[in-house]
Amino acid sequence: MKVFGSELISLYNGDIVMIILAVDEMDCERLYHYLTIDAYEFKKHIAEHLPEVTYLSVGFKNPNGKLEWNKNYIELPKWYDLN
């Protein structure tokens, strides 16, 4: 599973989502599953260093270059809960 980067998007309510970019839809699904089940240290790191990010998700760019992502967002721990 490879990760090609990330993008930040702002939702209508002002929340910010970090989209982790995978190679394709299959890797996207595997990465999403991993982030929902494991990856606590990764999520904690994001929460500490980018406290403005509220959620994580994964996505990929389709053959037309359009970003597609999972809209079932993964909530990050709040930075103040980590202390």
Side-chain angles (χ1 to χ4, degrees):
M1 187 170 23
K2 290 184 181 179
V3 173
F4 284 108
S6 65
E7 290 194 25
L8 297 177
I9 60 168
S10 181
L11 302 177
Y12 292 114
N13 65 2
D15 288 338
I16 296 177
V17 180
M18 176 183 276
I19 309 293
I20 310 293
L21 299 176
V23 177
D24 55 24
E25 190 171 3
M26 184 181 289
D27 274 354
C28 187
E29 290 176 17
R30 287 192 294 189
L31 182 56
Y32 181 82
H33 179 73
Y34 175 72
L35 288 173
T36 57
I37 303 301
D38 294 322
Y40 178 75
E41 287 299 318
F42 175 73
K43 292 184 276 191
K44 180 180 167 188
H45 181 79
I46 298 296
E48 288 176 346
H49 296 284
L50 295 170
E52 66 276 9
V53 175
T54 311
Y55 300 105
L56 277 180
S57 190
V58 295
F60 65 98
K61 296 218 175 172
N62 67 20
N64 297 328
K66 183 179 178 191
L67 176 63
E68 296 183 23
W69 70 93
N70 189 322
K71 306 245 180 352
N72 293 321
Y73 302 123
I74 302 164
E75 191 166 359
L76 289 172
K78 303 296 182 221
W79 63 270
Y80 47 80
D81 291 338
L82 299 173
N83 295 323

